[in-house]
Amino acid sequence: MGSSSLLRAAVLAVALLLLADSGEAFFDLFSIFRPRSDSDYFPFDGSPEQAKRKPKIEQEEDGAAPATATGLTKVPLLGAPSKAALDTIVLPVDDSAGHAGSWTIVSENSGVSAMHLAVMRHGKAIMFDTSTTGRSLMRLPMNNCRADPRAKREGTMDCWAHAVEFDYSTGALRSLKTATDTWCSSGAFDADGNLIQTGGYFEGDKAVRRLDACDTCDWREYPNSFAEGRWYATQQVLPDGRFIVFGGRRAFSYEFVPQPGMTNGQSIKFPLLRETTDDVENNLYPFVNLLPDGNLFVFANDRSVVFDHRTGKVVRELPKLAGGGRNHPASAMSAMLPLDLRNLTRGADPEPEVIVCGGALKTAFRLGENNTYQPTLRDCARINLGKIDAVWAVEAMPVGRVMGDLLVLPTGDLLMLNGAAKGSSGWGFARQPILSPILYSPRHPEGSRFRPLAASTVARMYHSSSAVLPDATVLVAGGNTNAAYNFSGVDFPTEVRVERFAPPYLSRELTGNRAVIDVASVPAGGMRYGTKFTFRFHTPVAAVEWGDVRVTMYAPPFTTHGYSMNQRLLVLPVAGFSAQGQMYELTVDTPRKPELAPPGYYLVYVVSKDVPSEAAWVKIQ
């Protein structure tokens, strides 16, 4: 190559690097930072061919309510299941340790398909999806419709609810009004137990929304809060009660959530997100965890760092987790393992461990566009961030899984559920629904940590969700891999049924061990950091001793797209235990600082002989 050719190559390379840093469109040559069209994630281009295949409107559906109706409408008749729908994965149940759990249907029709799910302290779950899919099965009151900003005719109103408040005890529903599109958004709870919800699509991508915990509350929205759009971003609560939001499509940055009515002037670059993006991104909804020292663990695609949000500096880069992509649309499961505060040297922090399981090859989404479905990843990796020389320890799950949920149970075990064995996240880009949940016991020796449990009969594919409830059961909802609510003529009909899974610890033969917290004895003022907390409980039959009892406190997360943001479980030291007639009085040491447990409401469980009680809602401040 001549000197002039070398010079031209060098100039081009410098130009490309500069353009990459500036985000200019010229870098689209590499298909990495180009603004992919909405049809990449929403395959509905309005063509005549697609128009012929569009779902029936409500008036055409059998048994549907008239167009003037309000409230819940009937679920349309389902077509015969397709070959793909019948191709499911059910693992042999491991009942060697006894009962393997059980499933019940809580509701046949939740009104909306729960793309997003959060359990609030007033006994309700909030479920919502996106206005992009059009009509749901729940109408808003006729005098409370939302203006549709994308309608061709000005003044068009959208009278379909895209959010509901669901009473998981009775199945009752109340419609909620979202004015901006919440598609693929993020969320967390504030110190008073209110839901602070961020980002979304189109007119909602820079929005902050607030929903207070009360039976008559509705969304309050602040549409222009962020400097950049936050679509597929992750929201993390900080020790001082503020929130930080990482990433989103085309957003290689982070921002702190502003106060209501305020607008961020600019975002803050976060190089890891730009460095880990690829032609289908694979770093959306990054995994973020607050560590006991106040730093943040941030994982994107296959790389992770420890980040100091106070200084804006990466303090540590961790080993790469090879094998494939782990974030959306490769969509692995991840959680921080329980923080055990017992037996620590005074003033010491527990060593935090993060687990990442499953995911997909980085090519899975692109192949899914061509109806090719790759096997998902089987590896399940843990890293102890308390070790200076931390490395990923990898073992194999019974089956590969993408789009699964990973919930931390009150006992400290983890529950894997939902998702598929082939493909990736995306509209119709996965096959082989996995109906079997798996119990993962992190304290067991390697080789004995995975236990397949009783299978559901409902496929939970893209846009499904789950949540731990105060009674220690698991709420499972949602699933819509279609571009609209569609109940026939598709492989996986839109799912509006809501299930409840009772893990093995709630078997009938263990009910005698199940503690019952005396709610009246729980201090009304909640917990204070670094103090004692005393309350009472009793057991129905079996007597217990000090060594039989653990106390755990669980931060209820915001779950969407297979990731439960802000989920954490702490095991508290028992400082005092005594029998008082039919009751036991229990005193625990509370977390000593907000880096361990950010201010807010937690579910406090008494775990007696490995059986959790129904929880009490307790505020720590």
Side-chain angles (χ1 to χ4, degrees):
M1 182 181 290
S3 59
S4 61
S5 297
L6 287 171
L7 179 60
R8 285 196 299 271
V11 170
L12 177 61
V14 171
L16 291 174
L17 287 172
L18 289 172
L19 287 167
D21 186 62
S22 66
E24 293 295 327
F26 182 74
F27 202 67
D28 293 351
L29 287 172
F30 290 107
S31 298
I32 295 178
F33 302 109
R34 69 179 178 85
R36 293 167 61 83
S37 70
D38 296 341
S39 65
D40 291 337
Y41 282 66
F42 186 77
F44 222 40
D45 59 16
S47 65
E49 291 75 16
Q50 285 194 326
K52 293 176 184 176
R53 302 194 301 270
K54 68 182 181 181
K56 294 179 181 179
I57 61 173
E58 184 190 358
Q59 289 85 347
E60 298 173 333
E61 291 167 349
D62 297 330
T68 55
T70 62
L72 193 64
T73 65
K74 189 175 180 180
V75 180
L77 296 176
L78 300 180
S82 69
K83 182 178 179 181
L86 295 172
D87 183 16
T88 60
I89 301 290
V90 176
L91 301 173
V93 173
D94 180 356
D95 55 7
S96 61
H99 181 67
S102 60
W103 293 86
T104 54
I105 298 289
V106 179
S107 172
E108 293 285 351
N109 183 3
S110 57
V112 302
S113 186
M115 180 188 296
H116 311 83
L117 176 61
V119 174
M120 300 186 74
R121 62 181 176 85
H122 68 305
K124 307 291 170 50
I126 307 303
M127 301 177 179
F128 54 101
D129 58 359
T130 165
S131 55
T132 307
T133 50
R135 61 169 297 272
S136 63
L137 296 184
M138 171 70 83
R139 283 189 178 273
L140 291 166
M142 298 302 288
N143 62 351
N144 195 34
C145 299
R146 69 184 281 272
D148 186 349
R150 280 170 280 180
K152 294 180 179 178
R153 183 181 302 172
E154 187 175 352
T156 299
M157 305 301 288
D158 176 8
C159 292
W160 293 103
H162 304 288
V164 295
E165 180 186 78
F166 178 76
D167 188 324
Y168 45 80
S169 298
T170 66
L173 292 165
R174 180 170 70 92
S175 64
L176 300 172
K177 178 182 175 181
T178 52
T180 59
D181 197 341
T182 55
W183 185 12
C184 303
S185 49
S186 46
F189 290 104
D190 70 9
D192 293 319
N194 303 311
L195 181 57
I196 308 299
Q197 212 268 316
T198 53
Y201 178 64
F202 198 66
E203 81 284 352
D205 67 343
K206 296 182 180 180
V208 174
R209 307 171 192 86
R210 175 190 174 109
L211 181 64
D212 290 354
C214 83
D215 291 332
T216 58
C217 294
D218 211 334
W219 293 102
R220 285 180 277 168
E221 304 192 41
Y222 308 92
N224 297 301
S225 299
F226 290 118
E228 287 195 77
R230 300 295 167 186
W231 190 26
Y232 298 89
T234 296
Q235 180 178 339
Q236 173 65 48
V237 64
L238 298 174
D240 60 6
R242 294 183 301 154
F243 303 101
I244 189 171
V245 178
F246 285 91
R249 297 196 70 194
R250 312 274 62 81
F252 310 114
S253 62
Y254 67 90
E255 298 181 52
F256 297 95
V257 176
Q259 292 297 312
M262 303 297 289
T263 299
N264 288 343
Q266 63 181 24
S267 60
I268 305 165
K269 290 183 179 180
F270 195 66
L272 178 71
L273 295 176
R274 181 175 285 278
E275 294 162 6
T276 55
T277 199
D278 55 32
D279 66 328
V280 297
E281 299 176 89
N282 278 323
N283 68 352
L284 302 175
Y285 280 127
F287 304 141
V288 182
N289 294 105
L290 173 66
L291 303 179
D293 62 3
N295 289 325
L296 299 175
F297 170 83
V298 184
F299 186 105
N301 199 333
D302 57 7
R303 290 175 51 197
S304 54
V305 298
V306 175
F307 176 68
D308 188 339
H309 61 90
R310 297 152 295 199
T311 64
K313 303 293 184 183
V314 171
V315 297
R316 187 178 173 194
E317 181 142 2
L318 298 160
K320 183 178 179 179
L321 180 56
R326 311 292 175 164
N327 297 91
H328 184 87
S331 297
M333 305 170 283
S334 183
M336 185 165 66
L337 298 184
L339 296 173
D340 195 337
L341 306 187
R342 302 172 299 175
N343 305 317
L344 293 175
T345 303
R346 185 174 181 84
D349 288 331
E351 293 185 348
E353 281 192 82
V354 171
I355 188 169
V356 178
C357 298
L361 296 175
K362 295 186 180 184
T363 54
F365 182 91
R366 186 62 80 198
L367 289 172
E369 293 178 311
N370 297 315
N371 300 314
T372 299
Y373 310 102
Q374 291 182 304
T376 55
L377 304 181
R378 283 188 63 191
D379 54 341
C380 198
R382 287 165 59 165
I383 189 167
N384 185 336
L385 301 172
K387 308 292 186 185
I388 296 298
D389 56 350
V391 295
W392 292 97
V394 181
E395 55 188 321
M397 299 186 292
V399 63
R401 194 181 300 243
V402 69
M403 302 185 299
D405 284 335
L406 185 62
L407 297 175
V408 184
L409 298 176
T411 56
D413 289 335
L414 278 63
L415 185 70
M416 302 174 177
L417 70 168
N418 299 342
K422 287 185 176 180
S424 78
S425 287
W427 303 91
F429 290 177
R431 291 293 184 272
Q432 289 192 336
I434 302 174
L435 303 183
S436 298
I438 292 175
L439 189 70
Y440 176 82
S441 300
R443 294 164 292 176
H444 287 189
E446 185 176 346
S448 61
R449 292 173 178 160
F450 299 98
R451 181 190 174 196
L453 301 178
S456 171
T457 59
V458 180
R460 300 288 181 180
M461 300 288 275
Y462 191 41
H463 290 149
S464 58
S465 56
S466 61
V468 175
L469 293 178
D471 68 355
T473 62
V474 175
L475 196 70
V476 185
N480 188 14
T481 190
N482 309 300
Y485 277 51
N486 202 343
F487 298 90
S488 61
V490 292
D491 286 321
F492 302 104
T494 302
E495 192 55 71
V496 292
R497 287 174 291 179
V498 182
E499 295 173 285
R500 188 191 297 255
F501 178 64
Y505 51 59
L506 293 180
S507 65
R508 185 174 301 173
E509 55 266 30
L510 296 177
T511 54
N513 296 335
R514 194 175 191 196
V516 179
I517 295 175
D518 177 9
V519 177
S521 72
V522 177
M527 294 182 179
R528 299 281 178 177
Y529 291 107
T531 61
K532 306 291 185 185
F533 183 76
T534 300
F535 62 99
R536 295 191 301 273
F537 73 93
H538 73 274
T539 53
V541 178
V544 293
E545 299 177 353
W546 186 315
D548 297 327
V549 174
R550 289 180 290 142
V551 177
T552 59
M553 59 184 289
Y554 179 71
F558 176 90
T559 299
T560 187
H561 288 74
Y563 185 50
S564 293
M565 303 177 193
N566 298 284
Q567 178 176 226
R568 66 201 293 118
L569 183 84
L570 298 96
V571 185
L572 304 182
V574 176
F577 178 88
S578 62
Q580 297 184 349
Q582 300 299 312
M583 286 281 183
Y584 299 95
E585 185 172 87
L586 192 60
T587 298
V588 295
D589 293 326
T590 65
R592 61 185 178 83
K593 59 180 183 177
E595 287 78 6
L596 293 169
Y601 279 86
Y602 289 71
L603 291 168
V604 173
Y605 295 89
V606 173
V607 181
S608 171
K609 297 182 179 179
D610 293 324
V611 179
S613 67
E614 183 162 348
W617 285 99
V618 177
K619 184 177 183 179
I620 188 168
Q621 55 191 326

